[in-house]
């Protein structure tokens, strides 16, 4: 697995001049990864789950313990109260984490409230020494 530890900050989406108010610090502690996520004036801390991606150099990253902002479930599921998933997910590649923030009409969700970008790019700005 590539070294993902570092500090990441949201970059403006294509054609935009302002980025969402997001940053995350990922640290490696005793062989495991932990995060501190700054989002909309709130701070979340927890473990990072990593899974090998489909392509070389890609890693699926999940910030465990953060509940999705909105979730209506898959269109094929029965119409009953749906529990919100926990864990914000993205794909790490080339020192950047890309989060698909919103789903579509068949699988509607919003991972991070207060950021109206469909895709959020968190770009590594600093490498952690540990």
């Amino acid at each position: 697995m590539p070294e993902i530890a570092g500090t990441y900050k949201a970059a403006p989406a294509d054609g935009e001049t302002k980025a969402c108010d997001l940053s995350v610090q990922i640290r490696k502690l005793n062989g495991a990864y932990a995060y501190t996520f700054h989002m909309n004036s709130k701070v979340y801390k927890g473990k990072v789950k990593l899974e090998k991606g489909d392509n070389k150099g890609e890693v699926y990253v999940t910030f465990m313990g953060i509940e999705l902002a909105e979730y209506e479930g898959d269109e094929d599921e029965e119409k009953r109260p749906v529990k919100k998933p926990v864990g914000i997910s993205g794909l790490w590649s080339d020192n950047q984490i890309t989060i698909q923030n919103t789903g579509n009409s068949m699988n509607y969700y919003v991972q991070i409230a207060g950021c109206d970008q469909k895709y959020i790019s968190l770009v590594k700005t600093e490498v952690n020494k540990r």
Side-chain angles (χ1 to χ4, degrees), residues 21 23 28 48 64-65 74 78 82 85 99 113:
D21 184 21
S23 66
K28 190 172 186 179
V48 177
M64 306 299 290
D74 191 322
E78 292 179 28
V82 179
I99 297 171

Side-chain angles (χ1 to χ4, degrees), residues 32-36 45-50 61-66:
Y33 288 93
Y35 71 85
T36 302
K45 294 182 178 190
K47 295 180 181 180
V48 177
K49 178 181 171 186
L50 302 176
V61 178
T62 304
F63 300 101
M64 306 299 290
I66 305 174

Side-chain angles (χ1 to χ4, degrees), residues 55-102:
N55 299 310
K56 184 178 180 179
E58 291 182 343
V59 178
Y60 291 104
V61 178
T62 304
F63 300 101
M64 306 299 290
I66 305 174
E67 185 176 88
L68 269 62
E70 298 177 38
Y71 182 73
E72 293 181 2
D74 191 322
E75 186 179 75
D76 294 335
E77 292 177 3
E78 292 179 28
K79 295 299 176 198
R80 53 187 159 76
V82 179
K83 186 176 179 182
K84 288 183 190 176
V86 176
I88 292 178
S89 299
L91 181 67
W92 184 96
S93 179
D94 296 325
N95 289 322
Q96 177 173 304
I97 300 169
T98 303
I99 297 171
Q100 182 174 339
N101 194 39
T102 61

